[in-house]
Each structure stands twice: as structure tokens, then as C-alpha cells.
Amino acid sequence: MTITPSTHKPVALQGALLTAAPAPFLFASMNVGNAVPPMWRLIAASAAAVSCMICAFVLVRRPNMGKLFGTCASVCCFLAALPYLWSDPFAALLGFIALISAGYAIEDFRLPARHRKATGLVDLMQRARWSAVTVTIIVGFPFILSERIQTPVANLTIAASTLIAQALFIQWAWKQKRGRPRAIFTTFGLVLAALLIISAYMGHPAAIALTFALLIIFLSSRFMPMQEGFEHWWETLLNHPARLLLSTFFLLCFLGTLLLIIPEATRNGEIALVDAAFTSVSAVCVTGLIVLDTPAEFTCLGQALILLLIQLGGLGIMSIASVALHAMGRRLSLRQERLLSKMADTDHKDLLDSIILILKFTFFAEGAGALILAGLFLYSGDTFWQAAWRGLFTAVSAFCNAGFALQSNSLIPYRNSPLILHTVAALIIFGGMAPATSLILPKWLMARRIPISPRIALITTAVMLFSGLFFMLAFEWNGVLAGLSIADKIHNAWFQSATLRTAGFNTINMANVISPTFLMMVLFMFIGGSPGGTAGGVKTTTIGILAMTFWANITNRNSVIYQNRRIPSATIYRAITIVASVAVVWFAAVLMLEVTQQIPGRDIIFEVTSAIGTVGLSTGATARLDEIGKVIIMLTMFIGRIGPMTLFMVLSKDLTVPVSRCPDAKVTLS
């Protein structure tokens, strides 16, 4: 009888939960050395272990009760590790990610419609296999944090988890119908169990545990049908657009961190892990906030890695992968095309054409910008190779709205070079809009009819650019723009109007702007760029929709009409949700930094707005952040890049909701 992999998902989860039950005692032993953990941590670990064990047994029979115990186990594990997490901000970040991931996994659990009791050989092997996978994770955990975990407790935990996995394997072996395989596998399991007990008594159970786990994984691949392999374990992440977007960007940030910590990437040969992670997240999220001076601290290899992360983060790794598969003559599956269509908000039939258009426009704009900037830098006094590298780096960083520069003080040295400023500003503007919107710009300038969405984006962008120019000139004429000629004041005001929404380059000292300019900058950074571009923020079309909704309400109209087209209520609700979700994350980040950092509130507000809008401008607060502050800003940049609403939609399902027939409710709003 053929059984789908989803039928075995509860069985596999049961094996993993049973084997993970002793693991909470590892968390209770963190940061205590060879001392006995405090009683409250042991109690929390015991509660987590018992809850995990109960969850393993009741999750299949009573899913709601199993989810309750699973949640209790996750929270108790977090409490048991809390003193260590409190002392190490980077570990706290990983702990929060693990806790949130566990919550998502518990909520996502659904019992298959035709679930059977785990009595078949395939069921039992599936359970034994995933218990072995769990053992490998537990074995690797003490090696990662060997200096912070009490060795006896770690050894006992590894031994207990491996004994549970061995018991599950022996149960499978005993169910074999043929006598010889049953005797061989049962004897094999019992011998390894005896060796494990001996090695645990001697204080070195990890080798036997890892050997057993790898052998079980190997045997499971030989004794289970092909359709029961590992190909379905990642479906929880990849069967949903929001989860796919989050997981790909997280993977890119993680890989970038690993690349930046290699000795050849920095001039002194070493970099703190949190600084490497901060730089990687800032580059992937095309933000531009830095804790290390890019030209002074990173070698050419390190700068090239940062540039690669900027390009991948700006274009989107899924877009590049799709075109690469097309170039190799392979097609995406229907499910993959549907997922990418939802992520790109484009028609299913036009997906590949849209992605190819994005790449063509991107590389053409970056190439043209690199050539122009290289010539201008060469004219400014740079050597040929320095000008070429600086031109390429600045062009890619500007078009991707990243804000990374190969000058320690950004573009302040070129504040009197209008050609450089306007070239970078043009790259920022076109990169901040979708390629389709940029290509339709000539039609709009010639007053031809264009679709509503790019029209709203272009009008809003133009209004913000020219209003930003006006406010900068009005507020800072005798301020940060003092000392410049009238022409240079206009050039720099236009450049700052273009860059402060998304890019992060600057030609003025942000710490010296007056309060009206500060408020204007915060508002523009919050709005950001246009949909489909590389910019962050709530997007220009969102603000345009809200502005039209505001005008329709104060003029007592029942619907929002634009260009003889009605804006659907779903679009208005989505715009409100986007602004509300960004505001919630913004407030939480500001509050956390106010509590943990000794930095003025004005600088914190500017820093958080710059991070969540993936802008990259700073008044100097980035350099004053401690590890906790860096972790908070990293999370803010990451959420700002994928979109706060995307983060909140991770738990959503692709369900068809029936139209409500409930009567309307009357709610007083004023």
C-alpha cells in the first residue's frame, strides 16, 4: 500500500518530540560552568521535558491538547535558557528565532484526514529516522556552545536522547517479518545501546550517538520507498509566499555572515560575529547602516562580497534562480510559478517575462551608471582601477538603494560635483521604482494614458521629490547647506530629496539638521519607494491610495474613484494594514532601543525609521549601539526588507473565505 508523505508527518513529529524531551536540560545548564543550575531553571527544564513527552503522545489523538503542551514546552525551554540569552544578545536573537519558529510549526500542524495508528514498518522507520535526525542536532549543540554547557549534563542528555532513538529503532527491527533481518537489526540496536551506556559512564557518548544516528538515517534511505524521502520536509516553508520570502532572505543573510567572517574579508583578519551579521543583513536588506567603515575595515574581497549581497538582496534570489533555470532549459513547476507570481504580484503567464525585464533593466542601468561614475571619479583624481571599482560599487549600491559607499564619509567629498550627484540620484530614483514603471515614464511625461498603478506611483514620487527639494532649501538654506553656492545648494537639496526616502547616501551631516527637516526626513523615510523596486518603506502607492481615501471621505463620497476606475475595498484595506503593521514594528523597535540604549530619543527615532525603511541614513547612532542595539536594528532592517505585513502573514493560509452575509455593524469613529 502506497502512503503519501503527509500521512507520516505526525509519526515523524512524534519521533522527534520523544527524542528531544531530554534536551531542555541542556538549556538549563547554559552559562553555569560546572556548577549545578539553579533550582528554578531545573524546574523549567523538567516542565519542558514532561510537556514535550506528553505532546508526543497526545498530538495525534488530540491535536489541540498536543499544541497546548507543545507551546508549554517551547516557553519552558526559553525560560530555562533565559539567563544565558540575557547575557548574550546574539544568542538571544537565535533564541527568539527558535521560539517563533516553534510557534509557527505548532500552529501549522494539521492532522491528515486519513491518519492511521503508527503500526506499519514504514511508520515505525519514519519515526526512528526522525528521532535519529534529532539526535544529530542534540549532539552538535554542545560542540557549538561547549564552553557554556555543563559537560556531565550534556553527556547525560545526549545519552538519554540516543537511548530513546535506539528504542524506537529496536521497535522497528522487532516488527520485521523475516527472522534474519529482525535478529540482526535488533542485536545491532542492543549492542549500540550497551556501548552508549558504557561511553556515557566514561563521559564521551557523543561519538556512539552520532554513529548510531547516521547509520539509522542511512538504513532508512535503503528500507523506505523513494516517495518517503526527505523531499517534503521543507514544505512548511516553501508552500507559502510569505514563508518563502522570509526563508530565502534569512538564508541569504546567514550565508553572507559566514562569508564575511573569513579572515580574507577584513584587513585585520578578524571580525566580531555580530558585526559580520549586521553588515550582511544591512547589505542583503539594501539598507546601508554600518557598524564598520566599509573602505577602511574590509578588503577588496570583503567589499566584493558586500556588493554581491547587495545585488542578490536587491534583485531577489528567487528572480535570479528562476532566470538561471530558464537559461539551462528547465521550467518551473506550476506550484513554483504560482508562488513567484504571488510574490511578484504579477500575472502567472507574464511571470518569466517580468523577471527577465527586471534583470535586463537592472544590469543596463547599473552598467551605464558604472561607466559614467567611473569616468567622473577618474576626472576627480582617482586612479583608473580605483575609479572603475568605485564607479561599479557606487552604481550597484545606488540602483539597489543600498547606500553603501567606498568613501568613509559617504558622498560628502563630492558635494560640489553636480554630475556625480545627479547620476547617483537618477540611479536611486529609477532603482526605487519598478522597471515597468521606469520604462513607462516617457509615456507619462508625454501625457499619454498609462495604467493606474504606475500612474499613482509616478505622481506620488514626483510630489515627494519636489516637495523634498523645497523643504530642504527652505529649512536648511542657512543650515547644513550654508557655505555652498546657490547652484550647489539646489543640487545637494535635490540629491538629499532623492536619497532620504530609500538610498542612504548623504552629502550633508545628518546630525546637524534642524527639527523641521528632521520631521520631514522621518516622514519621507517612512513612505519609501515604489512597489516592484528595490526601495523599502510603506511604498508610494500605499500613501497615494490612503490620500485618495482621505479625500473621498472628507468630500462625502461612498467610494474611491480615480481615472474613472473604482479602487476596490480590498486594496484600501491592504494599504491600511501595511501602514499599521509598519507602525507597530516601528514603535516596538523604538521602545526596545529606548529601554536598552543610552542614546537620545531623537537619534533612536531616526535610526529605527531609517532601518525599517531600509534607507541607511544615520545621525551617528549606529556607531553607539551595543550588541543588544545591533540585534534590534538587524531585526528591524530584516522586517523592513521583507515587509512587516509579510511577517504577520506567515501564519496565514491560502483559504477561500466565503462572502459574509452578516448585517453591517455601526461603529462611531468621531
Side-chain angles (χ1 to χ4, degrees):
M1 179 175 59
T2 303
I3 304 168
T4 61
S6 59
T7 306
H8 293 293
K9 185 177 179 180
V11 179
L13 184 60
Q14 186 181 49
L17 289 172
L18 288 172
T19 310
F25 291 99
L26 284 177
F27 306 139
S29 301
M30 291 180 178
N31 213 24
V32 298
N34 291 322
V36 178
M39 183 58 66
W40 70 270
R41 295 183 70 178
L42 293 176
I43 293 175
S46 301
V50 173
S51 299
C52 188
M53 190 72 70
I54 296 176
C55 177
F57 285 109
V58 306
L59 188 62
V60 174
R61 297 179 179 87
R62 297 183 178 180
N64 291 333
M65 183 179 295
K67 290 181 179 182
L68 177 63
F69 280 101
T71 303
C72 179
S74 301
V75 173
C76 289
C77 284
F78 187 82
L79 291 176
L82 189 60
Y84 168 65
L85 300 179
W86 188 265
S87 64
D88 191 331
F90 199 71
L93 172 62
L94 299 179
F96 275 113
I97 292 175
L99 182 63
I100 294 172
S101 301
Y104 287 163
I106 292 171
E107 195 279 337
D108 187 68
F109 177 79
R110 296 291 184 274
L111 193 65
R114 296 184 177 181
H115 177 69
R116 310 168 350 273
K117 186 177 180 181
T119 55
L121 290 176
V122 175
D123 294 319
L124 297 178
M125 175 51 83
Q126 183 83 336
R127 185 164 59 185
R129 178 214 296 197
W130 281 99
S131 65
V133 172
T134 307
V135 167
T136 60
I137 297 174
I138 295 175
V139 170
F141 191 76
F143 286 101
I144 298 174
L145 301 172
S146 58
E147 298 180 358
R148 302 181 177 94
I149 295 181
Q150 187 178 2
T151 302
V153 175
N155 291 335
L156 290 175
T157 302
I158 292 172
S161 296
T162 310
L163 284 174
I164 294 174
Q166 288 172 336
L168 297 177
F169 173 75
I170 293 172
Q171 182 186 15
W172 167 81
W174 190 253
K175 290 287 184 177
Q176 294 286 330
K177 294 181 179 180
R178 291 175 295 176
R180 181 173 297 179
R182 178 170 64 180
I184 294 175
F185 290 141
T186 304
T187 304
F188 168 73
L190 292 173
V191 170
L192 280 181
L195 292 176
L196 179 70
I197 295 174
I198 296 173
S199 61
Y201 177 78
M202 298 175 63
H204 301 285
I208 297 297
L210 187 60
T211 301
F212 166 78
L214 294 177
L215 286 173
I216 297 305
I217 295 173
F218 172 76
L219 287 174
S220 66
S221 64
R222 296 296 302 272
F223 280 83
M224 294 181 66
M226 287 297 295
Q227 65 266 26
E228 303 299 333
F230 284 98
E231 65 270 23
H232 294 282
W233 71 270
W234 58 75
E235 286 188 352
T236 300
L237 292 177
L238 302 187
N239 63 0
H240 191 281
R243 298 174 190 172
L244 178 62
L245 185 66
L246 186 148
S247 58
T248 51
F249 270 98
F250 177 79
L251 178 63
L252 190 56
C253 292
F254 178 75
L255 294 177
T257 303
L258 296 181
L259 291 174
L260 291 177
I261 60 176
I262 62 177
E264 292 78 8
T266 52
R267 298 192 185 278
N268 59 2
E270 59 181 2
I271 181 176
L273 181 60
V274 67
D275 291 339
F278 191 99
T279 305
S280 175
V281 172
S282 183
V284 171
C285 299
V286 291
T287 303
L289 292 175
I290 57 173
V291 291
L292 297 175
D293 189 1
T294 305
E297 299 292 339
F298 290 97
T299 62
C300 289
L301 175 61
Q303 295 170 13
L305 292 174
I306 292 174
L307 188 65
L308 177 63
L309 294 175
I310 291 172
Q311 188 71 87
L312 293 176
L315 288 176
I317 190 170
M318 298 305 298
S319 300
I320 297 174
S322 301
V323 176
L325 288 175
H326 177 71
M328 292 186 295
R330 299 181 59 184
R331 294 187 59 185
L332 297 172
S333 65
L334 292 177
R335 187 186 69 173
Q336 291 169 337
E337 289 186 0
R338 284 196 298 269
L339 286 173
L340 288 176
S341 297
K342 291 182 180 180
M343 292 172 61
D345 196 18
T346 187
D347 189 9
H348 174 70
K349 298 178 181 178
D350 301 331
L351 173 63
L352 193 59
D353 293 336
S354 299
I355 294 176
I356 293 176
L357 175 65
I358 291 173
L359 295 184
K360 286 182 177 179
F361 182 79
T362 297
F363 294 138
F364 173 79
E366 290 176 349
L371 289 175
I372 295 173
L373 288 175
L376 294 174
F377 287 138
L378 183 63
Y379 179 77
S380 299
D382 291 347
T383 63
F384 176 80
W385 292 112
Q386 185 180 21
W389 174 238
R390 185 169 289 177
L392 175 63
F393 191 98
T394 305
V396 174
S397 181
F399 186 84
C400 292
N401 284 216
F404 281 85
L406 293 184
Q407 298 81 229
S408 298
N409 49 357
S410 193
L411 296 182
I412 292 179
Y414 305 103
R415 61 188 306 182
N416 299 112
S417 303
L419 291 178
I420 293 179
L421 297 184
H422 286 293
T423 302
V424 175
L427 288 169
I428 293 170
I429 293 170
F430 285 113
M433 298 188 296
T437 304
S438 300
L439 294 174
I440 213 171
L441 178 60
K443 292 184 179 180
W444 181 65
L445 294 176
M446 290 186 291
R448 295 182 180 178
R449 190 175 184 85
I450 61 175
I452 290 179
S453 181
R455 184 180 182 87
I456 296 174
L458 288 171
I459 292 176
T460 310
T461 299
V463 169
M464 294 184 65
L465 286 172
F466 286 102
S467 60
L469 169 66
F470 171 77
F471 287 130
M472 283 296 300
L473 291 174
F475 296 146
E476 299 295 342
W477 186 271
N478 295 318
V480 293
L481 297 178
L484 298 174
S485 65
I486 295 178
D488 284 338
K489 286 182 179 181
I490 296 174
H491 297 319
N492 282 268
W494 172 261
F495 180 82
Q496 289 304 140
S497 178
T499 190
L500 66 87
R501 289 189 299 120
T502 60
F505 294 101
N506 64 287
T507 59
I508 61 175
N509 189 343
M510 292 293 147
N512 294 336
V513 298
I514 61 176
S515 296
T517 309
F518 174 84
L519 293 175
M520 183 267 294
M521 286 183 166
V522 168
L523 176 62
F524 278 37
M525 288 191 297
F526 188 84
I527 295 174
S530 301
T534 57
V538 298
K539 302 295 189 292
T540 53
T541 50
T542 300
I543 297 301
I545 292 296
L546 293 180
M548 288 188 289
T549 304
F550 170 78
W551 181 253
N553 275 275
I554 65 174
T555 55
N556 201 26
R557 298 178 181 177
N558 294 327
S559 57
V560 180
I561 306 296
Y562 182 70
Q563 296 287 302
N564 296 323
R565 293 291 187 272
R566 178 179 174 271
I567 305 299
S569 299
T571 303
I572 299 174
Y573 296 155
R574 184 178 178 87
I576 296 172
T577 305
I578 289 173
V579 174
S581 60
V582 173
V584 168
V585 176
W586 178 88
F587 178 79
V590 169
L591 183 62
M592 287 188 290
L593 287 177
E594 286 281 6
V595 172
T596 59
Q597 307 299 302
Q598 299 297 320
I599 300 175
R602 170 188 165 113
D603 295 339
I604 288 177
I605 290 174
F606 194 93
E607 193 81 7
V608 171
T609 309
S610 178
I612 201 169
T614 66
V615 178
L617 293 174
S618 178
T619 57
T622 311
R624 290 177 281 170
L625 294 172
D626 59 16
E627 290 190 351
I628 296 177
K630 292 175 183 176
V631 168
I632 295 172
I633 293 297
M634 285 166 55
L635 287 173
T636 307
M637 291 189 294
F638 185 81
I639 295 172
R641 182 65 180 98
I642 66 172
M645 196 176 78
T646 300
L647 183 69
F648 295 129
M649 288 175 61
V650 168
L651 288 175
S652 67
K653 304 288 181 183
D654 292 329
L655 300 177
T656 302
V657 181
V659 178
S660 175
R661 299 183 181 273
C662 299
D664 294 339
K666 184 178 180 180
V667 181
T668 302
L669 297 178
S670 61

